[in-house]
Amino acid sequence: MAGVKSLAKDTAIYGVSSIVGRFLNWCLVPLYTRLFPEDMYGVVTYVYSIVALALIILTYGMETGFFRFANHERYSNPDEVYSTSLTSLGFTSTLFFALVLLFLEPVSRTMECGGHESYVWMMALAVAIDAYSCIPFAYLRYKKRPVRFAMLKLVNIGLNIVLNIFFLLICPWLMRVAPGWVEWFYVADFGIGYIFLSNLIASAVTLLMLLPDIVRIPLKFNGRLLREMLAYSFPLLVLGIAGIMNQTLDKILYPVLATSDAMAGLGIYGANYKIAIVMVMFIQAFRFAYEPFIFSQSRERGDNKLQAYRDAMKYFVIFALFIFLGVMYYLDILRYFVRPDYWAGLKVVPVIMAAEFFFGIFFNLSLWYKLTDRTVWGTWFSLLGLAVTVVLNVLLVPRYGYMGCAWAAFCCYGVMMLASYFVGNAKYPIGYNVGRLIFYVGLAGVLYPLGCCIELGAHWADFIYRGALLAVYVFVVMRREHLSPAMIIPRKAHR
């Protein structure tokens, strides 16, 4: 239980950067949807979908590989593992950016940015910087420095938001009232390019702030270590590509499969997907703490480490279901984060949130193949999910539009979750209390329609009623788990 409490504490700290940071970034969606029409926001969604895939390729599983080999019994010097990883990523990130510059025009056309090559090279440079920075951030997690990690992530996101507001709101205003202040650098028709420029500047500043953590460790490159890390991480690369394709392929394929107004539909889908990102925030915060946690627990013996894994899964399910209910109960408020023109896509939110919940469980289940160095299984599960994604998008999108994308994601992660559970239960049984987990899912399944399908005639009454249902969920969980407020929020020691 002590290990789980440590996991919860680190998750909370990482959550400051992940949840709060993503929430602030999420707040840019109303700005984008009010300034840009649906088809232009569709281009932003499309570009960032490709960027997410590029980032996975450029990190090629080295983040998890670093944690594995920094705790490896055959390598006693984690600084050597860090330096070797950093050297490898530095070389590949530089090579990537050089190749994009070399083939800038055809790449721009492929990314629906023909005539706007600056969009592409700015995002390519930002991706190269972010890929290189992932190892210094992993090193902070390894060293149990979640506060510095959170601070740097918040600086990155805060700067990105400030720059977006500056370029998209303040500069146009200054061009009207005092053009001499900004006309020497501001181009009014650069449009969504300022979104990408803000991202690039924020990434560059974050890298500068990471320099003390980069140069502090002497350069020690170990070719044999790198070969072993690449052998370990390559299946994770395939896993990562398949995994990110499961998240972004629907957005990449949508312009090809949709029968009409493709970019406008993609813009609506992408904007409403952002509402469901609350679940992604929680999973990301959990993930930052969970990987160091499972590898450190692997040194324990007997049933203690297995119980820690069971407890981690249980509390993940409990909190994720609470988030699901909270978002769905108050969707009437959250919908104002996007312009009413985008509200037609609100129906994707519960489906996407349920899909992300399945993905979170799948991530919990992934510990068995990471601990046993059988990461190839993660590849098979993700490829299975990718096959489901492709087939269902091809079948559903032409008929149902972006709702086909949402249901494809739901089925994809559901299949991956079930496959990982059954194979893992045979290869490395953890002994999860499946009955209890199903009970909590069933409880949320009952409370969800009770809150969303019953209306009392006034918004304030509905909100109070749904808040009471959330309180019922919390009460049942605390009674079932024999928890009390004092156990969750420890009292300060008396002097």
Side-chain angles (χ1 to χ4, degrees), residues 309-351:
Y309 300 149
R310 296 176 200 130
D311 289 340
M313 172 68 84
K314 177 177 65 177
Y315 289 113
F316 171 84
V317 169
I318 288 171
F319 282 106
L321 290 173
F322 178 82
I323 291 170
F324 175 83
L325 291 174
V327 170
M328 297 316 305
Y329 283 173
Y330 297 101
L331 189 58
D332 287 345
I333 297 175
L334 295 175
R335 66 179 179 173
Y336 287 100
F337 276 92
V338 298
R339 198 172 64 198
D341 293 350
Y342 290 78
W343 286 0
L346 286 171
K347 55 191 175 183
V348 307
V349 176
V351 182

Side-chain angles (χ1 to χ4, degrees), residues 216-237:
R216 182 180 299 141
I217 307 301
L219 180 62
K220 294 181 180 179
F221 181 76
N222 186 326
R224 178 190 168 203
L225 169 62
L226 178 61
R227 287 192 295 273
E228 290 192 31
M229 292 183 72
L230 291 175
Y232 175 86
S233 300
F234 181 75
L236 294 177
L237 168 61

Side-chain angles (χ1 to χ4, degrees), residues 49 52-53 56 237-253 269 273 352 355-356 359 362 369 378-393 404-417:
S49 298
L53 174 60
I56 291 295
L237 168 61
V238 181
L239 165 63
I241 291 174
I244 201 66
M245 290 289 277
N246 289 332
Q247 296 178 37
T248 62
L249 187 63
D250 53 353
K251 304 172 189 68
I252 296 173
L253 290 178
Y269 178 59
Y273 200 106
I352 293 297
E356 294 293 345
F359 177 75
F362 169 75
Y369 59 76
T379 303
W380 295 127
F381 297 142
S382 289
L383 289 175
L384 173 62
L386 181 58
V388 173
T389 298
V390 172
V391 170
L392 290 184
N393 270 278
C405 297
W407 283 112
F410 177 90
C411 295
C412 160
Y413 291 137
V415 169
M416 289 169 59
M417 174 187 69

Side-chain angles (χ1 to χ4, degrees), residues 105 107-117 119-120:
E105 187 176 346
V107 170
S108 300
R109 287 198 304 270
T110 302
M111 294 182 65
E112 303 290 331
C113 295
H116 298 282
E117 285 78 10
Y119 297 177
V120 174

